[in-house]
Amino acid sequence: MARHEKALLRVSQWLDLSRSGRQEFIDTAQRVSSSQETTYTRYDEQYLQHLQQDVFTHDEVLRYLEEAGIGEDIVQDFSSGEIPFDEVYQSWNEIRYSVNEILDLTMLLKLVHSCSENPETLSQGIDSRYKFQKLVYLVNQELADQNQLDRDTAPYDHGKLERTGFRYTYRMRSSGPFAKALEEDKRRLYASNLIDEEVMAKVETPEINEEKCRYRITLGRSGEVVMDRFASQLEAMETEVLSDWEEAIDHVVLQFGHMTVEELHEYIMDLDPVKKAEDRDLLLRGRRVKYDSEPWITISAGGEIGHV
């Protein structure tokens, strides 16, 4: 995902488009922008002005909005270059998740943060989507291999993963273990400015969503705020559920964070469950969590916490 796509994604969300509609809007806007031979290296006021004056007023974009059933008044705002950016971006740096969910996603940020802090990785953040997927898998696998202290009454034995760890279920794909829900959450983290993705090189990895170029994943501005506030608290956690999870992340980063994609891929594909699995076979079931009934909180870019 290109850095500037975040701005277009926010506009598409404001338009309340479907998932496929959002992607079509982004593709249309990017096509119009690239045809004008303008290059922007930063997301800033100049780029927003370019969108407002040169892209959103273009006939191709306006035609798409009309065909998508967008209200006439909003189409007129686009046509006249008067899209209300203050309204569109007012919640740009506001994170809104359930209390239970914020813990899960915070631990993803912890993983990215730990890779950034590990001197052996020799790079900031996680240097590919492939490694992001596989490090989360290895964290859960480590927890699944640990025995619980009390009797396990679950219908399947996943050790400590029954009570802690990420909720992502992994299935076998051409790249090895892959969790679709993790990819979806990564996009949510990106849209909320919790993480950033940037193209590292025009070199593919084995990952199914990294076929043409490699992406580096780092903390976004809001993610840095969250880690500044909570990283030390996570390290000091004394509850078994959180301390085991945090220790598993640190151990996996220390053991595998420095590996190249090629080295990690060789290791992953040589694991017994992976070697025996066919395409889309279940490899590892994540911790089961339901969020619908949870209270909701917001975290602003300034680190302020509120309840919804």
Side-chain angles (χ1 to χ4, degrees), residues 120-134:
E120 294 192 18
T121 60
L122 301 178
S123 64
Q124 183 183 15
I126 299 176
D127 61 9
S128 65
R129 291 174 175 175
Y130 177 87
K131 185 176 286 188
F132 182 70
Q133 278 274 344
K134 277 40 178 184

Side-chain angles (χ1 to χ4, degrees), residues 131-145 170 177 248-249 251-253 255-257 259 264 267-268 271 284:
K131 185 176 286 188
F132 182 70
Q133 278 274 344
K134 277 40 178 184
L135 290 180
V136 172
Y137 172 77
L138 290 170
V139 169
N140 271 10
Q141 187 62 64
E142 178 163 319
L143 291 168
D145 290 340
Y170 276 84
I249 289 175
H251 182 256
V252 165
V253 169
Q255 186 173 0
F256 303 102
M259 285 187 175
L264 184 59
Y267 175 84
I268 290 288
L271 295 173
L284 187 62

Side-chain angles (χ1 to χ4, degrees), residues 86-97:
D86 288 345
E87 178 182 345
V88 173
Y89 296 114
Q90 65 181 349
S91 61
W92 181 272
N93 289 320
E94 181 182 84
I95 309 157
R96 179 173 292 196
Y97 298 121

Side-chain angles (χ1 to χ4, degrees), residues 65-247:
L65 294 176
E66 292 173 351
E67 293 174 353
I70 301 301
E72 185 177 340
D73 54 338
I74 294 180
V75 175
Q76 181 58 40
D77 287 341
F78 274 72
S79 178
S80 60
E82 296 178 354
I83 178 174
F85 275 114
D86 288 345
E87 178 182 345
V88 173
Y89 296 114
Q90 65 181 349
S91 61
W92 181 272
N93 289 320
E94 181 182 84
I95 309 157
R96 179 173 292 196
Y97 298 121
S98 72
V99 172
N100 202 341
E101 194 173 13
I102 201 72
L103 171 62
D104 214 35
L105 298 179
T106 297
M107 297 305 269
L108 282 178
L109 299 182
K110 157 70 180 174
L111 176 66
V112 178
H113 176 74
S114 295
C115 285
S116 299
E117 296 294 310
N118 181 9
E120 294 192 18
T121 60
L122 301 178
S123 64
Q124 183 183 15
I126 299 176
D127 61 9
S128 65
R129 291 174 175 175
Y130 177 87
K131 185 176 286 188
F132 182 70
Q133 278 274 344
K134 277 40 178 184
L135 290 180
V136 172
Y137 172 77
L138 290 170
V139 169
N140 271 10
Q141 187 62 64
E142 178 163 319
L143 291 168
D145 290 340
Q146 297 177 18
N147 294 326
Q148 294 192 56
L149 296 179
D150 55 355
R151 182 170 174 266
D152 187 357
T153 58
Y156 40 82
D157 182 13
H158 277 171
K160 290 184 177 179
L161 188 56
E162 298 293 347
R163 297 191 174 185
T164 187
F166 297 104
R167 71 188 189 281
Y168 307 111
T169 292
Y170 276 84
R171 293 186 177 275
M172 183 64 183
R173 301 297 298 274
S174 60
S175 62
F178 183 82
K180 181 180 179 181
L182 174 57
E183 173 61 20
E184 293 172 351
D185 273 356
K186 179 179 67 64
R187 293 172 182 169
R188 296 171 64 199
L189 291 170
Y190 180 88
S192 297
N193 209 26
L194 283 162
I195 65 170
D196 266 333
E197 276 194 324
E198 60 178 323
V199 176
M200 282 186 62
K202 299 293 184 180
V203 179
E204 64 182 15
T205 75
E207 199 54 85
I208 60 177
N209 60 354
E210 205 168 27
E211 297 170 341
K212 296 182 179 179
C213 54
R214 183 176 301 186
Y215 294 83
R216 185 196 308 278
I217 299 172
T218 58
L219 292 178
R221 177 65 190 118
S222 295
E224 291 174 351
V225 170
V226 171
M227 283 294 97
D228 285 345
R229 294 198 62 183
F230 299 122
S232 60
Q233 297 178 37
L234 289 172
E235 293 174 359
M237 288 292 183
E238 296 182 357
T239 62
E240 181 183 355
V241 169
L242 293 179
S243 62
D244 287 345
W245 194 352
E246 199 267 343
E247 288 175 6

